[in-house]
Every structure is written in C-alpha cells, then in structure tokens.
Amino acid sequence: MPAAVAVSLPNWRYFGLEDRNLGATTGRELLVGEEEATYYVNTSPVDGKPLPAVQHASSALYHQVVEQAQRAFLTWRLVPAPKRAEVIRVFAEKLLHYKSELARVISYEIGKTFQEALGEVQEVIDMCYFGVGLSRQLYGLTMTSERPGHRLYEQWHPLGVVGIITAFNFPVAVWGWNVVIASICGNTTVWKPSEKAPLSALAIFALLRQAIAETDVPEGVFNLVIGDARIGQQMACDTHIPLISATGSVRMGRSVAQQVAKRLGRTLLELGGNNAVIVTPSANRELALRAVAFAALGTSGQRCTTLRRLILHNSIYDSFLAQLVRVYEQACQRIGNPLDPDTLIGPLVDKAAVQAMRDALAEVQAHGGKILFGGEVLEGPGYESGCYVRPAIVSAENHWPVVQRETFAPILYVLRYETLEEAIALQNSVPQGLSSSIFTENLREAELFLSASGSDCGIANVNVGPSGAEIGGAFGGEKETGGGREAGSDAWKAYMRRQTVTINYSTDLPLAQGIRFEL
C-alpha cells in the first residue's frame, strides 16, 4: 500500500487548460464550434477525479481545419527547409522551459510515471533538434545517364496535408516524431490525438502556438482536432490528406489502411507489438534481469514495445524465474501515484484496461496456464481510481490465442526453449513483428539472431531490452505491426514524393535503351 506523499499536481493555467477547453486550432486561431458543442470529461487514473472538460470537434469544424491546412501548404512548401526549421527550434526551447509542467499533465492524465513522462517530453525535444539538422540534409541522388549530354537525378517534394493519429500511451512523443519531420519536409499537419489524452495534446500544442507566434509561420501549418474515432474515420477517407500516419491497435490500423487504400492514399502505420526476449545460458544474468523488468513493467505494460513474452532456456528456466519474481516483489512495493518520484509503477489508463487484463488472465488459466506472480487489482487508500494492478508473471504456451494477441497490460508470459533455432521460431510465431531482443555472450548466437533466418521484427537488439528506442534509428515493425517507419534514419522519405528528373543539355535527342525513332 502506498505511503501518503505530497505530490505536485498539474497547474493547468500554464497551458491555458481550464474547464471547457476548445478542441480545435489551426496554430494561431482557436476554432469555436457550434453552440451545441459536445464536451467530454475524462477521469484521471491516478485518483479517479474528473479532468477539465474538452470540446470534441464536429464534422464541420474538422473540414474547416483541413481547408486551412490546404491553404497553408501552398505557402509553406515554398519556404526553404532551414527556414521552416526555425519554428521547430523555438518550439524545443519552449519544451525545455516547461518540461516538468508538461510531464505532470501527461502523468496525471494517463497514469505514466513522472520520470517516464519527463523522458517522453525529452524525446520530443530530441526530435526537434534532429529535425533542425535534417532540414539541411534532404538529399537526392544523381545518377549517370546512359544518354550522352543528359543529366539524371532525383529530388523530393512535400506531399501536402499529413494526417497524424496517435494513441494514449505516448500522447505527445509519437506526434513529435511525425510533426517535426513532416513540417521540415514542407507538409502541413492535422493531428487527432487519442480521446483518452486530449489535455496532453492541448498542453503541448499551447507551447507550439507560442513558437508559431514568435516565428513567421502561416496559420494552418500545424493543426489540432480533438475527437473520437469518427474524426479518425473522416481523416482516413479524406482525399485531401495524401498521407495518414496512424499509431494504435492492429484493429484500428486495418480500418485506416483499408479506407486510405480505397482512395489510393498512403499510410504510415505503427501498430501493436508482441515483443519477446530470449535469454540464453551464456547471458549476463544481472543485465538480463534489469532489462526484462523495465521492458515488462515500464508504462505499466502499456507500450507497443512492452515485453510480452520471455523465452528462457530450459537449463536456466527455474533459477531465472525465481530471481525475476524477487525483482517483481521489490518493484511492486513501489506501485502508486505516478507523480511521486519514488513510484516505479503507476495505474493503467482506465478501468477498461483493467478489465482487459483480468479477462486475459482468466483466459490463460482456462488454457491451463498458471499465474506465478501478481495479477490482482489493488484496493485501499491510494488506489481509489480502480486502475492499479499488480503486474503478472504467467506460465504459458506460445500458440494459445491469448498469447498470440497483444493485451495492453503488464502481463509477462514465460516460455521454455531447448535450441536457439526453437527460441527464434517461438519469437517469430506471432502475427506482430515490432521489437525483439536476445541476451547472450555468445557471438554465434547473437549473429544468428540478427541474420535473415533470425528475428523477423523491425527492431532487433542484443543485450538490450525491446523497449526504449532512440530517435536516431527508424522506429517500426513488420507483419501486423504495419511496416511503417518513424523518427530517424531516412524515415523522412515517407513524408515526401520522389521525382525523377532528366535534363537534356545536348542538341540531340537520343532515346533510352537505344531505341530509334526516325521521322
């Protein structure tokens, strides 16, 4: 049971967040909907108290925002990329100044620990600095033409309006990945955050609006629309939005992909994960235990990169599991208010998430699995919201349907293996393909895991857990995870259209492939 501690709650006035917040903005102007606007009130998973009310945008308000974004694109695409980066640089300064206050909003709204919320804001800051550098590195290739007196090269142009749909668990970071690169590339953006985290979106957008006011940015370059799945559906079907970047469940991603494909638009999907860690007999045990604990318990199991399946060699299964249970026992003594800096594990986002965890544990028990640790819903002082749970460790079989799908909760399924080939097959034998890890001191095992016959995930780590990716590498996964890539590397190309250019500076007109066409 958590001790009574004094914690610093969000100060809504820092971001202009008071009751009945407006749910749409075109960067400079706040948009007011019809008089009969619908307001929604969420409750904090921290203490169950109501949060400030937020207006959900109507269909008409949504179209007003998109039209403004279209108009702004006509100007923004002509601004040199280094000049576009100026607003991003100023935005990073605002984030640095208000980092702690913004982290409190995130923590109180969705239950993420304050330390993790600080890390999320830092991720947006890092992304801003990455984008400023990227603004001078939007390179194209020059190729040798087979025709004399010809130059052949590629260049990149912005797409137009980019739609960004984000999930609750990283309410600002994933938007940051997308909005920075999209805007640096010359696109305008329309953001629909999760209806479970509108205040975090409004708070960070308030800081962006300050940066916009201090720089020469046309109104409508950056846009925010608060709403439920109906707004997301409109975005997916909107022919005025050439690219939809969507983060969330596989079910949501399928719906978005189908709607966008019908109009031959583009999607950038970052969907569910069912991530595994393989621990071999040669592994550094202490390193593996620490990595497994953070990957399984961080964000209360509500990361797309959360460790879901732990694959242990038979020779170390019992001893490693006994050590892991002791680690869980220590960590679970620090379940509580996420705004308390000593808390390691906060609540789930809402009671629906708690019920999903209970249903998954009941299903695994029905298959014959055994709960080895935890799984209880916590009650009593400090747990009044009903969203606090004790993370669970469960013995299971990989082929069970409950193990094959992602449950967004702190449930760790423990599996056995005998050969490394068997372990890799277990890891890959799920529909998702986001992140994966192996802990080994054996070079052959590490290289096999990273080979073409090894991990089939978009992220493969050696002696590093599956969560906590850096922005320098492209983030995303394969199979039902969607195939999209965000953040670093050359992910910027997803936000642009490639154009192949041929220039004939000769006085002849030779044809490619040696074709002759004589008149």
Side-chain angles (χ1 to χ4, degrees):
M1 188 174 298
V5 293
V7 296
S8 181
L9 294 175
N11 189 334
W12 305 114
R13 69 176 177 82
Y14 277 101
F15 308 101
L17 295 178
E18 299 173 353
D19 209 27
R20 303 182 72 80
N21 294 283
L22 298 174
T25 176
T26 57
R28 293 182 185 272
E29 178 186 5
L30 288 172
L31 300 181
V32 181
E34 59 277 2
E35 292 182 3
E36 299 300 322
T38 302
Y39 285 84
Y40 292 82
V41 177
N42 292 333
T43 58
S44 170
V46 175
D47 53 20
K49 293 180 180 179
L51 296 164
V54 176
Q55 175 192 333
H56 279 212
S58 64
S59 177
L61 202 56
Y62 162 77
H63 286 297
Q64 183 180 343
V65 169
V66 174
E67 289 172 4
Q68 181 68 50
Q70 287 180 277
R71 289 193 295 270
F73 172 67
L74 301 179
T75 302
W76 187 244
R77 63 183 175 178
L78 301 177
V79 177
K83 178 68 173 176
R84 293 193 291 254
E86 179 63 11
V87 66
I88 300 301
R89 183 191 64 78
V90 175
F91 181 41
E93 293 175 356
K94 303 294 182 185
L95 290 169
L96 280 167
H97 186 71
Y98 289 103
K99 181 178 177 179
S100 292
E101 287 301 328
L102 180 56
R104 286 188 183 89
V105 173
I106 295 168
S107 184
Y108 190 64
E109 183 173 41
I110 67 166
K112 177 177 288 190
T113 65
F114 182 61
Q115 279 300 313
E116 288 194 72
L118 285 171
E120 177 167 0
V121 179
Q122 185 62 49
E123 192 165 357
V124 183
I125 295 168
D126 293 344
M127 197 69 214
C128 288
Y129 291 133
F130 177 89
V132 172
L134 179 66
S135 70
R136 297 181 182 272
Q137 300 178 72
L138 300 176
Y139 299 131
L141 292 175
T142 297
M143 290 76 71
T144 301
S145 174
E146 68 182 63
R147 291 171 282 184
H150 285 60
R151 183 158 70 92
L152 180 64
Y153 70 94
E154 292 177 347
Q155 62 184 5
W156 297 82
H157 293 303
L159 291 170
V161 181
V162 172
I164 304 171
I165 301 172
T166 58
F168 77 87
N169 59 328
F170 281 86
V172 300
V174 175
W175 168 73
W177 296 350
N178 284 275
V179 75
V180 168
I181 296 182
S183 61
I184 290 293
C185 290
N187 303 288
T188 58
T189 60
V190 176
W191 177 27
K192 191 206 90 64
S194 169
E195 57 267 39
K196 296 183 180 182
L199 295 173
S200 297
L202 286 165
I204 196 169
F205 216 87
L207 300 181
L208 178 58
R209 290 181 67 217
Q210 292 179 25
I212 290 169
E214 295 176 18
T215 53
D216 189 20
V217 176
E219 184 175 337
V221 171
F222 303 98
N223 304 276
L224 171 67
V225 179
I226 304 293
D228 56 19
R230 289 170 293 185
I231 294 293
Q233 180 79 0
Q234 283 186 273
M235 293 175 70
C237 297
D238 196 334
T239 57
H240 300 107
I241 303 180
L243 171 66
I244 296 289
S245 176
T247 302
S249 68
V250 172
R251 179 185 59 80
M252 180 277 292
R254 279 204 183 97
S255 175
V256 168
Q258 290 169 4
Q259 294 299 327
V260 176
K262 286 180 182 178
R263 59 180 177 84
L264 299 181
R266 299 189 190 185
T267 55
L268 196 167
L269 302 176
E270 199 280 282
L271 309 176
N274 197 346
N275 316 292
V277 164
I278 298 169
V279 183
T280 71
S282 71
N284 180 319
R285 185 75 64 92
E286 182 181 353
L287 195 68
L289 281 167
R290 288 166 54 199
V292 165
F294 174 73
L297 300 175
T299 323
S300 301
Q302 297 173 116
R303 290 175 176 238
C304 54
T305 54
T306 289
L307 173 59
R308 309 286 177 199
R309 297 172 299 134
L310 177 60
I311 305 173
L312 300 174
H313 190 269
N314 274 325
S315 65
I316 63 170
Y317 183 92
D318 292 330
S319 60
F320 190 93
L321 197 52
Q323 288 180 284
L324 184 62
V325 167
R326 288 196 290 272
V327 171
Y328 265 56
E329 288 172 342
Q330 293 175 351
C332 287
Q333 294 176 17
R334 296 167 66 181
I335 299 174
N337 190 321
L339 289 162
D340 179 354
D342 289 330
T343 294
L344 281 182
I345 304 169
L348 297 185
V349 68
D350 54 26
K351 291 182 180 179
V354 174
Q355 188 58 50
M357 179 176 177
R358 298 179 70 174
D359 292 344
L361 291 175
E363 185 176 343
V364 77
Q365 287 179 298
H367 281 290
K370 183 179 180 182
I371 299 176
L372 306 174
F373 180 87
E376 308 92 347
V377 179
L378 301 178
E379 300 176 343
Y383 302 135
E384 290 87 353
S385 69
C387 297
Y388 292 86
V389 298
R390 198 182 311 278
I393 302 174
V394 182
S395 64
E397 297 292 335
N398 197 65
H399 65 275
W400 294 346
V402 66
V403 180
Q404 288 283 304
R405 66 176 184 266
E406 179 186 48
T407 299
F408 229 49
I411 302 175
L412 180 61
Y413 301 114
V414 186
L415 315 171
R416 297 174 179 265
Y417 81 93
E418 187 59 46
T419 68
L420 183 57
E421 289 78 7
E422 177 190 359
I424 292 172
L426 284 172
Q427 179 205 273
N428 294 345
S429 296
V430 292
Q432 311 84 359
L434 180 52
S435 190
S436 58
S437 297
I438 187 171
F439 281 83
T440 178
E441 299 289 286
N442 184 304
L443 179 62
R444 188 195 71 82
E445 291 178 334
E447 291 294 340
L448 179 61
F449 178 77
L450 298 173
S451 72
S453 61
S455 170
D456 65 359
C457 295
I459 300 170
N461 297 328
V462 176
N463 296 330
V464 177
S467 59
E470 298 181 31
I471 63 149
F475 181 89
E478 301 301 323
K479 301 188 292 187
E480 286 190 358
T481 302
R485 293 297 186 274
E486 297 168 309
S489 185
D490 64 347
W492 60 270
K493 293 179 179 179
Y495 303 87
M496 304 193 82
R497 58 182 176 88
R498 186 196 311 245
Q499 187 175 72
T500 301
V501 179
T502 304
I503 298 175
N504 178 6
Y505 57 90
S506 74
T507 57
D508 296 323
L509 192 64
L511 301 177
Q513 292 83 49
I515 295 173
R516 299 180 65 84
F517 185 76
E518 301 290 347
L519 291 176

